[in-house]
């Protein structure tokens, strides 16, 4: 995933007046920019850095869902929507079976 496709999707969400989706994507763009500034590569952001930030934000959203009180269904729905949007951009991870198959093949 690259930062430009995130920005394009954010603009598309703005044009569609989809505020929750725009906010979720905007938070991803902000997190990527912050990580790039911290790493000293503000202009040329590598794709692997974007993927790492997306996975970190996905983990944070999952923790928000897990720690949200059951009585706050409105917050839980908001966190779940944010998690779903972020998961669309997350890189595909290998399953346990795929990892096991790779390890047995190599070693």
């Amino acid at each position: 995933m690259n930062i430009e496709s995130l920005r394009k999707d954010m603009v598309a969400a703005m044009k569609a007046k989809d505020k929750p989706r725009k906010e979720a994507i905007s938070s991803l763009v902000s997190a990527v920019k912050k990580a790039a500034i911290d790493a000293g590569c503000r202009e040329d952001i590598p794709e692997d850095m974007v993927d790492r930030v997306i996975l970190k934000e996905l983990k944070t959203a999952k923790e928000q869902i897990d720690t949200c009180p059951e009585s706050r269904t409105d917050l839980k729905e908001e966190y779940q929507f944010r998690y779903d949007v972020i998961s669309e951009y997350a890189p595909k991870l290998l399953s346990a079976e795929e990892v096991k198959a790779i390890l047995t093949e190599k070693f």
Side-chain angles (χ1 to χ4, degrees), residues 20-37:
R21 183 173 179 80
K22 189 229 57 130
E23 288 175 353
I25 298 171
S26 177
S27 71
L28 276 178
V29 171
S30 296
V32 169
K33 284 181 181 178
K34 182 183 181 318
I37 290 169

Side-chain angles (χ1 to χ4, degrees), residues 72-88:
R72 294 297 307 266
T73 56
D74 57 329
L75 273 179
K76 206 166 193 95
E77 288 172 7
E78 180 182 324
Y79 294 153
Q80 184 64 49
F81 180 79
R82 184 169 182 262
Y83 178 83
D84 294 340
V85 170
I86 294 171
S87 65
E88 292 175 21

